[in-house]
Amino acid sequence: MIIIHKHVTQFHYFKGMAPISNIRVNFWLAARAGLPASEITFAELTKQAGYTNALIGKWHMGISRDSFGDHLHHPLNQGFDHFYGLIGTNFDDFADDGHKIVLKQTPYFNYQWLSTWMIIAMCAYCLYRTKHINGILFSIVVIMATIVCGYPCFVFNNLLLLNSMIHRNFKVVEQPIRHVGLSKRLVHEGLQFMKNATVSGKPFLLVMSFVHVHTAIKVSREFEGSSSHGVYGDAVQELDWSVGQILDQLDVTGQRNNTLVYFVSDHGGHVELGSLGGYNGVFKGGKTHGAPEGAIRVPGLFRWPGIVPAGRVLDQPVSMMDLFPTIARVAGVPLPADRLIDGVDILPLLQGHTEAAPHEFMFHYCGNKLHATRYIPNTGKHVWKWVTHLPRYKPGSHACRFGCTCGDAVELPMPHLYDVTTDPAESAPVPPDKPIYEHIRRLVSAAVNEHRDSLAPVESQFSARNVLWRYSLQDCCQGVFPFNCSCLDTVFPESFYA
C-alpha cells in the first residue's frame, strides 16, 4: 500500500499538537516538542498487519524529548521502518536566493534585544554606583542579561546551522540542505524502498511527504523554465514528475492493482507569498488563515484499480483524519478501542456503496481555538458553514499584512453563515434575520457543546518549555555542535544535486 501526499499534517490532530499561541509549528529541531509516544499513527496500525513502512520527505513532528538521541518523537519510533528527509520543515532562509522569512526579521530582533540589554546594564550600573548593589550582584545581573538577550539573537541568526539538515533514519547525512535536486533524492529513496519491499514479499506503506511546493523553492536543472508560471510552476512540474516515478514503479513491479494511492495537499496556497505561494481560485484566504475555504479546502485523489471506480467525482466534504480509519480497514486492522477516533472510514464512499457524507459536523480550528463549524445535512443539497472568527485581513484584500496568526484573528460580533455549496467564495453571508440562520445556529451550538464535552485536557507540545531551542538536543552531522556541522550524502552522484 502506498500513500502519497505533500505534508503529513493529519498527525497535527493528535493530542497536544494544537498550538496554544502564535507558535503553531515545531520551530527548532533541538526542542522537546513532538508527537507524543502515546499516540498511534496509521504506520503503527499497518505494522500490526505485517507491513513494512517508510516515510520519505518532511516529518516536522519532533525528534528527541528528554535527552539527545532518545528519539522519542522520531518516525522510527512512530511505526516507520525507514526514514529519509527533513525532521523539521523547509524555510526560505535555507536557500541562497535572497528570500527570507525568519532572517528578514532578525535585524529588528537584534536591535530589540540589544536595547533591552543596554537598559538592564545601565540600570544595574546606576544601582552599583549608588551603592544599592555590590560588584558581585552587578556582575550577575549583567551576565544574566547577556544570556537572556543573547539567546534569541543566537538562535534566530543561526537558523541555517540549527535546522537545515537531512536525516537518513537516525543519522544526519546532509547539512545544510542542498535544495537543487532534492526531489530526485527523495524519489530515489522512495523507489529503493519499494524495490526492497517487493523483494521481501511484504506489503508496504510508503508516505512520500514531498517538500515541493513549500518555500524555499528550488528545482532541478531539467525543470528550470519548464512552465509558464515561474519557479512555482517549475516546482509543480517536478512534483508531477516525482509522483509519476512512484506510480511507474508500481507498474514495473506489477503492484498497480493491489495498491491504494492517495494524493493530497495539507492546506491551500500561501497568498502572502504572491507568485511563490500558489493560487486558491475563488476560495477566500489561504495557508495559516484558520477556517476560510482557501486555507482548508483542498482536492484529494485516490487510485485503486478494481476497487475504487476510475473517474468518480465526489463533492462530499471529508477530512484527512479519515485516512486513519480508512487505512485500518484496508490493512484489516481493528481501530484502537481505548480512544475516540475523529475520522471515519471513507472506503464505502470512494467505492460508490454510499453517497452519504461521512460527517454531519466538521470543526475547523486555528490552533486550539474553534473558528468555524461545517454542517452537512443528510439531504446532501447544502453544506452550511458557521464562522465565528476571521483573520485580520488588510483592507480590501484576503491577505494579512505580515502573515495571519490565530492570535490576531477577529471574533465576529455576529457569526457569519454561508451556504458554501452555492457560495464557495464565502462572499454573501446569510442575513441573521432569515429563519435558516437561527435554525443552523441551534444545531451548531448543540454540536459544538457535544464536541467540547468529548475533549480532555493534555499537555501542549507547544508550550514555551517545549518549543525553546536546547543546546543539549542539537544535532550535528560530523562533530559536536557547533563544530564540523557540514556534510554531503555520498550515496548520491553529483547529478542528484543539480
Side-chain angles (χ1 to χ4, degrees), residues 26 91 134-135 180 184 256 316 336 347 369 468-469 496:
N26 199 0
F91 281 104
N134 58 30
V180 176
K184 293 179 185 176
R256 176 189 180 98
Q316 295 88 334
L347 190 59
K369 294 181 174 60
L468 287 176
W469 174 82
F496 278 54

Side-chain angles (χ1 to χ4, degrees), residues 25 67 83 186 355 358 423 473 495:
V25 296
S67 62
F83 171 72
L186 296 177
E355 298 298 327
D423 181 24
L473 298 179
S495 61

Side-chain angles (χ1 to χ4, degrees), residues 212-213 223 226-228 232-242:
H212 279 335
V213 287
F223 293 94
S226 61
S227 78
S228 57
Y232 187 94
D234 296 348
V236 172
Q237 296 275 73
E238 188 167 28
L239 176 62
D240 179 72
W241 168 84
S242 301

Side-chain angles (χ1 to χ4, degrees), residues 109-124:
F109 289 142
N110 292 344
Y111 299 146
Q112 194 175 44
W113 288 108
L114 179 60
S115 299
T116 302
W117 180 88
M118 290 179 65
I119 291 170
I120 295 173
M122 289 174 64
C123 290

Side-chain angles (χ1 to χ4, degrees), residues 54-116:
L55 170 64
I56 309 297
K58 178 183 168 186
W59 170 243
H60 207 185
M61 298 300 291
I63 179 168
S64 293
R65 180 173 178 82
D66 298 318
S67 62
F68 178 79
D70 66 24
H71 296 126
L72 291 180
H73 303 308
H74 193 281
L76 267 59
N77 281 322
Q78 304 287 355
F80 293 98
D81 302 294
H82 179 71
F83 171 72
Y84 174 83
L86 290 72
I87 286 290
T89 188
N90 194 17
F91 281 104
D92 266 2
D93 309 74
F94 292 170
D96 57 359
D97 56 5
H99 289 284
K100 305 295 179 186
I101 289 181
V102 177
L103 293 183
K104 72 179 179 181
Q105 307 293 339
T106 297
Y108 304 105
F109 289 142
N110 292 344
Y111 299 146
Q112 194 175 44
W113 288 108
L114 179 60
S115 299
T116 302

Side-chain angles (χ1 to χ4, degrees), residues 106-378:
T106 297
Y108 304 105
F109 289 142
N110 292 344
Y111 299 146
Q112 194 175 44
W113 288 108
L114 179 60
S115 299
T116 302
W117 180 88
M118 290 179 65
I119 291 170
I120 295 173
M122 289 174 64
C123 290
Y125 182 71
C126 290
L127 291 173
Y128 169 68
R129 288 294 302 270
T130 56
K131 308 299 183 181
H132 286 86
I133 60 175
N134 58 30
I136 295 176
L137 188 55
F138 168 72
S139 300
I140 291 174
V141 171
V142 173
I143 291 171
M144 292 301 296
T146 301
I147 293 173
V148 170
C149 297
Y151 169 88
C153 291
F154 171 76
V155 296
F156 282 105
N157 279 282
N158 289 279
L159 184 68
L160 186 71
L161 173 65
L162 301 178
N163 276 12
S164 180
M165 59 186 76
I166 298 284
H167 282 74
R168 178 177 287 108
N169 296 325
F170 295 127
K171 184 181 179 181
V172 179
V173 294
E174 182 179 322
Q175 188 179 10
I177 299 171
R178 278 71 168 180
H179 284 83
V180 176
L182 179 56
S183 289
K184 293 179 185 176
R185 304 196 293 278
L186 296 177
V187 167
H188 173 84
E189 290 284 326
L191 294 178
Q192 192 61 51
F193 169 78
M194 294 170 70
K195 292 173 184 176
N196 293 340
T198 301
V199 171
S200 72
K202 285 186 175 182
F204 64 87
L205 167 75
L206 171 61
V207 179
M208 291 296 299
S209 184
F210 293 110
V211 174
H212 279 335
V213 287
H214 192 295
T215 54
I217 299 178
K218 290 282 190 177
V219 298
S220 303
R221 187 176 299 127
E222 301 92 309
F223 293 94
E224 290 180 354
S226 61
S227 78
S228 57
H229 298 284
V231 67
Y232 187 94
D234 296 348
V236 172
Q237 296 275 73
E238 188 167 28
L239 176 62
D240 179 72
W241 168 84
S242 301
V243 174
Q245 293 292 299
I246 301 295
L247 297 182
D248 288 348
Q249 182 64 23
L250 292 176
D251 293 336
V252 169
T253 58
Q255 295 170 318
R256 176 189 180 98
N257 292 337
N258 64 349
T259 301
L260 171 64
V261 177
Y262 176 46
F263 181 89
V264 70
S265 178
D266 60 342
H267 52 67
H270 198 167
V271 296
E272 284 79 17
L273 296 182
S275 62
L276 290 177
Y279 177 64
N280 295 326
V282 301
F283 300 135
K284 180 167 66 179
K287 176 184 177 181
T288 78
H289 291 200
E293 295 292 274
I296 60 177
R297 186 166 172 172
V298 295
L301 302 174
F302 287 86
R303 190 188 81 172
W304 195 357
I307 305 296
V308 175
R312 179 168 165 76
V313 178
L314 300 171
D315 294 320
Q316 295 88 334
V318 298
S319 165
M320 273 193 270
M321 290 186 288
D322 297 331
L323 195 56
F324 186 84
T326 303
I327 288 180
R329 162 84 174 276
V330 171
V333 178
L335 288 173
D338 62 343
R339 63 199 66 203
L340 180 66
I341 305 296
D342 293 313
V344 177
D345 173 18
I346 60 172
L347 190 59
L349 177 65
L350 298 175
Q351 292 179 292
H353 296 163
T354 180
E355 298 298 327
H359 301 273
E360 184 180 16
F361 293 96
M362 302 175 76
F363 305 99
H364 303 307
Y365 280 81
C366 190
N368 68 341
K369 294 181 174 60
L370 184 63
H371 280 198
T373 302
R374 193 179 301 261
Y375 169 52
I376 308 101
N378 56 19

